[in-house]
Amino acid sequence: MFMGVAVGVAMSSTCPGLYCGRVLINGTIDGSQCGVCPRGERSNLQKVCERCSESPELYDWLYLGFMAMLPLVLHWFFIEWYSGKKSSSALLQHVTAMLECGAACVVTLLVSEPLGTLGVRSCRVQMLSDWYTMLYNPSPDYVTTLHCTQEAVYPLYTMVLIYYALCLVLMMLLRPLLVKRIACGLGKSDRFKSIYAALYFFPILTVLQAVGGGLLYYAFPFIILVLSLVTLAVYMSASQIQSFKSLVAKKKRLVVLFSHWLLHAYGIISISRLDKLEQDLPLLALVPCPALFYLATARFTEPSRILSEGGNGH
């Protein structure tokens, strides 16, 4: 029996490429040629297709959370952009968008294996090439290509695509009826513009995940930090917030500030991964620093003041 296993492993080790493998049938290695592993499996070091049986790590969940936040943030942005001060329905549309994305998220988890639960069965991401297995199909004889394209990061790749499809379907089912009823303050051509914008950015997000999913997986913590810092500075500058008093003058400004702080914390947690709690948790104290630094230096960088001082020869 020992020799049989050793022979089987030796035979399976002849599989070329990074992701080709042989399928196990009734506990024994299939005598067929190496090929692509079934969905939900990936080849191990012995080039045998092995079932994905692990749970996603904290970093994997944070990545999925980031990809889930993208359509919600874009929904909120375009709802605010096209509603502005013309309509009081923006808040209800914000809540509806959040419910759409939340429902899509729950359904995506339920249809992922194991079915009917909020848990996920996955394979661990080991390297960047795991996201782009189609680029690693081997050619043993330099003539025939052995196609072993598979989802080596199962199910992190397809889960996001399923989620985007569900978000789009739920939006098309719910939002037009809601907007038609409540967005009376807007013109007929303006009230549906936030929905039209979603019809543009969902295909863009889908292509972004399909092409750059692996790059986003490794870069999303830094993307969150940079974008949250830039957008906070732009918002405070556009709103002419130069003191703490002007910041707390409107509730909407506080909501925007706390939202950015949550993004800052999300980015810091994603970078540190909370591997060492005693060292990583104190980093969250840095979250308010960008806003405090802006308020402390805004009056010194006021363009009108700089121009006036330059005109006076100071």
Side-chain angles (χ1 to χ4, degrees):
M1 179 178 178
F2 229 6
M3 291 182 62
V5 174
V7 171
V9 172
M11 185 177 68
S12 66
S13 63
T14 60
C15 284
L18 288 174
Y19 301 101
C20 298
R22 284 190 170 89
V23 180
L24 281 174
I25 298 179
N26 297 325
T28 59
I29 298 175
D30 186 9
S32 61
Q33 294 182 350
C34 295
V36 61
C37 292
R39 188 170 186 270
E41 299 182 9
R42 68 171 294 174
S43 59
N44 55 20
L45 295 176
Q46 288 76 37
K47 296 297 183 180
V48 177
C49 294
E50 189 176 41
R51 186 174 184 267
C52 300
S53 58
E54 298 177 328
S55 298
E57 298 178 335
L58 173 62
Y59 188 84
D60 299 332
W61 285 115
L62 292 172
Y63 166 75
L64 292 175
F66 168 72
M67 300 305 291
M69 283 191 297
L70 286 179
L72 179 59
V73 172
L74 289 173
H75 275 315
W76 285 348
F77 173 79
F78 285 110
I79 289 172
E80 194 67 26
W81 180 271
Y82 289 117
S83 296
K85 299 179 181 179
K86 299 179 181 179
S87 175
S88 59
S89 64
L91 178 60
L92 188 55
Q93 291 186 64
H94 287 318
V95 174
T96 304
M98 184 170 63
L99 292 177
E100 293 167 3
C101 293
C105 184
V106 172
V107 174
T108 301
L109 291 174
L110 291 177
V111 300
S112 300
E113 293 187 11
L115 296 175
T117 66
L118 298 180
V120 177
R121 177 175 66 85
S122 70
C123 286
R124 292 287 170 86
V125 180
Q126 299 175 7
M127 60 187 83
L128 179 62
S129 61
D130 291 346
W131 292 85
Y132 305 103
T133 56
M134 64 179 297
L135 302 178
Y136 294 87
N137 292 325
S139 300
D141 55 2
Y142 300 100
V143 176
T144 305
T145 300
L146 188 60
H147 295 281
C148 297
T149 302
Q150 59 187 282
E151 190 179 6
V153 294
Y154 175 87
L156 301 182
Y157 193 90
T158 52
M159 272 188 71
V160 177
L161 300 178
I162 293 172
Y163 168 74
Y164 288 163
L166 291 172
C167 283
L168 182 60
V169 170
L170 290 174
M171 182 197 70
M172 294 304 297
L173 290 176
L174 302 176
R175 195 86 63 83
L177 296 176
L178 175 72
V179 171
K180 188 175 181 181
R181 285 181 174 274
I182 66 176
C184 300
L186 298 173
K188 291 183 178 180
S189 61
D190 294 335
R191 64 178 66 180
F192 295 107
K193 282 187 176 180
S194 62
I195 299 177
Y196 297 152
L199 297 179
Y200 281 99
F201 70 67
F202 268 118
I204 294 174
L205 291 177
T206 302
V207 173
L208 189 66
Q209 165 67 6
V211 177
L215 300 176
L216 288 174
Y217 179 81
Y218 289 100
F220 82 89
F222 307 98
I223 294 175
I224 289 177
L225 282 180
V226 172
L227 288 182
S228 60
L229 289 173
V230 171
T231 54
L232 179 62
V234 171
Y235 175 79
M236 296 180 75
S237 176
S239 302
Q240 297 182 349
I241 301 174
Q242 297 184 1
S243 64
F244 182 77
K245 183 178 180 181
S246 60
L247 177 63
V248 299
K250 296 182 180 180
K251 294 181 180 179
K252 181 180 178 180
R253 294 179 178 179
L254 291 177
V255 171
V256 173
L257 177 65
F258 289 133
S259 299
H260 280 83
W261 282 1
L262 288 176
L263 288 177
H264 295 344
Y266 196 95
I268 292 174
I269 292 173
S270 300
I271 292 176
S272 64
R273 305 192 185 192
L274 297 181
D275 293 330
K276 298 180 180 179
L277 290 179
E278 65 278 3
Q279 296 181 9
D280 298 334
L281 284 180
L283 293 175
L284 296 179
L286 299 174
V287 168
C289 290
L292 296 177
F293 178 80
Y294 181 91
L295 293 176
T297 59
R299 59 180 178 271
F300 301 114
T301 58
E302 175 65 26
S304 60
R305 177 176 177 176
I306 296 175
L307 292 175
S308 63
E309 289 182 353
N312 292 332
H314 295 292

